[in-house]
């Protein structure tokens, strides 16, 4: 069983719509959660981090965390063509895995004009 | 600040050749990481260094060695390259601790023939 799973995608949304990206994780001891954006041929770029249950907003991005359901999501409001990229969910398990991130496979998002 | 830098950007090796990938960070981070990224496999941790003077294996360490030269630099060595090591290699760094936000370098594209 994969430790971090993302909705398989690819996900296609029209410009101006809300894009919803989802991620589940298996380790209940996980402490911190991250979303990275990766453009084709480039390195992952950290866009959101979240550590406690609830919502965290940063501009057009909102991260949501529900530790009881072992679920983390990323909402992108007013999606733009420049948001087209692969989005990676990453989880820091804590405990003996302290400091190590486990990444999901990524979801490809395409925003079409 | 340059952030995380990696050299070289591209490399082609023949099977059995050796090489060292270099990584440096100027953010005064304690922890550094080496990942490989393959299509369909996501980002996988090869080795990491929680602090200067320490290194530890990640998910896929076989065929690799690392050296934490000082706080800034963390190198990855392939002693006898194999075609299975064809991949994109990313170095990352973070402030050690609970939050562990990792920042990535631009990557090295390695092809082993």
């Amino acid at each position: 069983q994969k430790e971090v799973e993302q909705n398989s995608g690819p996900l296609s949304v029209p410009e101006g719509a809300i894009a919803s990206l989802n991620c589940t994780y298996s380790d209940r001891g996980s402490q911190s959660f991250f979303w990275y954006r990766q453009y084709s041929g480039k390195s992952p770029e950290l866009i959101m981090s979240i550590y406690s249950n609830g919502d965290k907003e940063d501009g057009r991005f909102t991260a949501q965390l529900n530790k009881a359901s072992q679920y983390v999501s990323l909402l992108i409001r007013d999606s733009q063509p420049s948001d087209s990229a692969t989005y990676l969910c990453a989880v820091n398990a804590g405990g003996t895995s302290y400091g190590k991130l486990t990444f999901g496979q990524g979801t490809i998002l395409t925003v079409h004009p | 600040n340059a952030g995380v830098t990696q050299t070289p950007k591209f490399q082609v090796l023949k099977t059995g050749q050796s090489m060292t990938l270099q990584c440096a960070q100027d953010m005064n981070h304690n922890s550094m990481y080496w990942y490989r990224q393959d299509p369909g496999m996501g980002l996988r941790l090869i080795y990491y260094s929680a602090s200067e003077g320490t290194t530890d294996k990640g998910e896929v360490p076989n065929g690799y060695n690392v050296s934490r030269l000082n706080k800034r630099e963390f190198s990855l060595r392939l002693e006898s390259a194999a075609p299975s090591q064809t991949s994109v290699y990313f170095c990352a760094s973070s402030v050690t601790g609970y939050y562990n936000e990792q920042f990535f370098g631009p990557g090295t594209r390695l092809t082993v023939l």
Side-chain angles (χ1 to χ4, degrees), chain B residues 38-89:
Chain B
D38 305 290
M41 301 296 290
L43 275 162
R44 293 181 292 170
L45 182 66
I46 305 171
Y47 270 94
Y48 73 104
S49 172
S51 60
E52 186 179 354
T54 69
T55 61
D56 206 349
K57 296 178 180 178
E59 183 184 354
V60 288
N62 290 346
Y64 305 95
N65 285 300
V66 291
S67 295
R68 183 74 183 266
L69 304 169
N70 48 55
K71 189 172 185 178
R72 291 187 63 246
E73 298 173 289
F74 188 37
S75 63
L76 178 71
R77 182 160 179 85
L78 287 71
E79 291 289 353
S80 179
S84 61
Q85 294 178 305
T86 293
S87 187
V88 180
Y89 291 86

Side-chain angles (χ1 to χ4, degrees), chain B residues 1-76:
Chain B
N1 288 349
V4 181
T5 57
Q6 294 183 236
T7 55
K9 287 187 169 55
F10 301 93
Q11 185 71 48
V12 178
L13 293 178
K14 294 181 179 178
T15 297
Q17 288 185 318
S18 62
M19 78 162 296
T20 300
L21 282 65
Q22 305 287 353
C23 174
Q25 52 90 10
D26 63 1
M27 296 179 284
N28 200 32
H29 285 171
N30 292 310
S31 299
M32 298 185 73
Y33 312 82
W34 276 106
Y35 293 89
R36 61 178 289 174
Q37 187 173 39
D38 305 290
M41 301 296 290
L43 275 162
R44 293 181 292 170
L45 182 66
I46 305 171
Y47 270 94
Y48 73 104
S49 172
S51 60
E52 186 179 354
T54 69
T55 61
D56 206 349
K57 296 178 180 178
E59 183 184 354
V60 288
N62 290 346
Y64 305 95
N65 285 300
V66 291
S67 295
R68 183 74 183 266
L69 304 169
N70 48 55
K71 189 172 185 178
R72 291 187 63 246
E73 298 173 289
F74 188 37
S75 63
L76 178 71

Side-chain angles (χ1 to χ4, degrees), chain A residues 31-32 34 36 38 40-46 49 51-52 56 67 88 92 96 98-101 103-105, chain B residues 33 35 37 40-43 45 48 56-58 90 94 96-107 109:
Chain A
Q31 302 286 342
S32 45
F34 307 92
Y36 286 83
Q38 187 174 25
S40 181
K42 301 296 185 182
S43 60
E45 174 193 9
L46 180 67
S49 51
Y51 310 105
S52 53
K56 179 182 178 182
K67 288 187 177 181
L88 303 169
N92 183 354
T96 56
Y98 187 74
K100 294 189 284 188
L101 292 182
F103 285 83
Q105 299 286 70
Chain B
Y33 312 82
Y35 293 89
Q37 187 173 39
M41 301 296 290
L43 275 162
L45 182 66
Y48 73 104
D56 206 349
K57 296 178 180 178
F90 291 106
S94 71
T96 301
Y98 175 81
Y99 299 103
N100 196 31
E101 293 183 336
Q102 293 186 17
F103 298 91
F104 284 77
R109 293 185 177 275

Side-chain angles (χ1 to χ4, degrees), chain A residues 28-87:
Chain A
R28 283 196 170 274
S30 297
Q31 302 286 342
S32 45
F33 308 85
F34 307 92
W35 284 99
Y36 286 83
R37 177 177 62 199
Q38 187 174 25
Y39 293 114
S40 181
K42 301 296 185 182
S43 60
E45 174 193 9
L46 180 67
I47 56 172
M48 289 290 284
S49 51
I50 187 165
Y51 310 105
S52 53
N53 282 329
D55 294 358
K56 179 182 178 182
E57 187 174 316
D58 184 359
R60 296 186 295 111
F61 299 100
T62 299
Q64 300 174 316
L65 175 61
N66 184 326
K67 288 187 177 181
S69 300
Q70 296 175 243
Y71 174 93
V72 58
S73 66
L74 179 70
L75 300 177
I76 306 174
R77 291 183 301 281
D78 188 24
S79 295
Q80 301 297 309
S82 58
D83 295 326
S84 298
T86 299
Y87 289 80

Side-chain angles (χ1 to χ4, degrees), chain A residues 4-18:
Chain A
V4 178
E5 293 204 35
Q6 298 184 234
N7 47 337
S8 55
L11 180 64
S12 180
V13 300
E15 185 174 356
I18 295 175

